[in-house]
């Protein structure tokens, strides 16, 4: 049979293939079909499976069993109708299978995305653990609080947990500034700490901006 096979009992598949032969006039109306044993041999199934296939076609009016004589083709038109209905069911099943395959692929993609996200988080944590002194930086403009105030007077570490490691103003870089170094407009403040410390420093210098 052309097309995709469905997971249906073998005897039903044989019934479909016999109906196809009837529609193709390989078995003509009024023609006697081979004995069950011959059908079984042709389709490589047991005689019982062949018998069940014939019974399906008899129930649909496609074939007729005459006691003591055998099975005959009774309606090519009904065979055609049966095949059309079968193909419709097949199409529905194939669409269903395609949808299920799509859902499975999406689930796999979601699992892959989740795995990548976990990897990213773990790598970020590892970097923070192995390189805890990688500095953050904040640029001070004219709207910043605490301009012209010293590190000592502001109690930076006590207020935010940050350790200021450098101050840069244009081409001037001051490493390890002492407690009396003052914050100026246009200065970049380099400090070490974690993400929470970074947020505290932002709030310390720009409290109004972080409210919106």
């Amino acid at each position: 049979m052309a097309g995709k096979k469905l997971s249906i009992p073998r005897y039903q598949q044989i019934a479909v293939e016999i109906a196809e032969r009837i529609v193709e006039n390989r078995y003509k109306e009024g023609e006697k079909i081979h004995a069950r044993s011959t059908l079984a041999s042709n389709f490589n199934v047991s005689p019982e499976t062949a018998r069940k296939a014939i019974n399906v076609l008899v129930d649909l009016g496609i074939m007729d069993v005459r006691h003591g004589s055998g099975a005959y083709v009774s309606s090519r038109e009904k065979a055609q109708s049966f095949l059309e209905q079968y193909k419709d069911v097949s199409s529905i099943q194939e669409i269903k299978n395609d949808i299920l395959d799509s859902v499975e692929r999406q689930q796999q993609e979601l699992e892959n995305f989740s795995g990548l996200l976990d990897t990213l988080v773990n790598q970020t944590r590892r970097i923070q653990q192995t390189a805890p002194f990688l500095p953050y930086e904040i640029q001070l403009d004219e709207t910043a609080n605490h301009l012209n105030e010293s590190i000592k007077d502001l109690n930076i570490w006590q207020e935010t947990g940050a350790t200021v490691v450098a101050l840069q103003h244009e081409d001037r870089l001051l490493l390890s500034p002492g407690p009396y170094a003052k914050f100026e407009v246009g200065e970049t403040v380099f400090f070490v700490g974690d993400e929470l410390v970074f947020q505290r420093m932002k709030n310390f210098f720009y409290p109004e901006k972080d409210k919106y």
Side-chain angles (χ1 to χ4, degrees), residues 22 26 29 34 56 155 157 169-170 191:
I22 294 172
R26 294 166 64 184
E29 287 188 359
H34 306 293
V56 169
N155 293 321
W157 188 85
H169 189 83
E170 296 179 350
F191 59 95

Side-chain angles (χ1 to χ4, degrees), residues 118-128:
D118 288 342
T119 300
L120 177 61
V121 170
N122 290 335
Q123 287 181 347
T124 301
R125 287 175 178 170
R126 240 185 339 262
I127 290 172
Q128 290 176 342

Side-chain angles (χ1 to χ4, degrees), residues 146-171:
H146 310 300
L147 294 174
N148 300 314
E149 295 185 60
S150 70
I151 295 175
K152 179 178 182 299
D153 291 339
L154 293 175
N155 293 321
I156 290 290
W157 188 85
Q158 290 86 345
E159 292 292 333
T160 67
T163 299
V164 177
V165 295
L167 297 174
Q168 183 177 17
H169 189 83
E170 296 179 350
D171 295 332

Side-chain angles (χ1 to χ4, degrees), residues 167-186:
L167 297 174
Q168 183 177 17
H169 189 83
E170 296 179 350
D171 295 332
R172 183 193 69 192
L173 178 64
L174 177 61
L175 294 174
S176 300
Y180 300 105
K182 295 184 178 181
F183 298 105
E184 301 177 7
V185 174

Side-chain angles (χ1 to χ4, degrees), residues 18-118:
I18 294 174
E20 286 181 332
R21 294 187 181 190
I22 294 172
V23 170
E24 294 168 358
N25 279 322
R26 294 166 64 184
Y27 295 152
K28 296 179 172 56
E29 287 188 359
E31 180 180 343
K32 180 179 178 178
I33 299 298
H34 306 293
R36 287 199 299 269
S37 59
T38 304
L39 279 177
S41 176
N42 288 342
F43 291 103
N44 194 27
V45 296
S46 68
E48 177 62 18
T49 299
R51 183 189 68 79
K52 288 183 178 181
I54 291 174
N55 286 345
V56 169
L57 297 175
V58 169
D59 290 342
L60 294 171
I62 297 171
M63 293 184 65
D64 178 39
V65 174
R66 302 172 190 173
H67 294 291
S69 179
Y72 294 79
V73 177
S74 60
S75 176
R76 181 174 179 272
E77 181 180 352
K78 289 183 179 179
Q80 178 69 51
S81 177
F82 166 59
L83 287 180
E84 289 174 356
Q85 292 176 8
Y86 175 80
K87 289 175 181 177
D88 287 342
V89 171
S90 299
S91 297
I92 291 172
Q93 184 64 42
E94 288 173 4
I95 292 171
K96 177 184 176 182
N97 290 340
D98 288 344
I99 291 173
L100 292 176
D101 289 344
S102 177
V103 169
E104 183 176 355
R105 284 195 301 271
Q106 291 177 14
Q107 289 175 338
Q108 290 174 348
E109 290 172 359
L110 183 60
E111 289 174 1
N112 290 339
F113 175 77
S114 178
L116 289 173
L117 186 59
D118 288 342

Side-chain angles (χ1 to χ4, degrees), residues 163-209:
T163 299
V164 177
V165 295
L167 297 174
Q168 183 177 17
H169 189 83
E170 296 179 350
D171 295 332
R172 183 193 69 192
L173 178 64
L174 177 61
L175 294 174
S176 300
Y180 300 105
K182 295 184 178 181
F183 298 105
E184 301 177 7
V185 174
E187 201 162 52
T188 301
V189 182
F190 295 91
F191 59 95
V192 293
D194 56 21
E195 183 66 24
L196 180 59
V197 168
F198 176 65
Q199 293 298 326
R200 286 173 178 167
M201 284 288 279
K202 284 176 62 180
N203 292 336
F204 188 75
F205 287 102
Y206 297 103
E208 294 300 321
K209 287 186 177 180

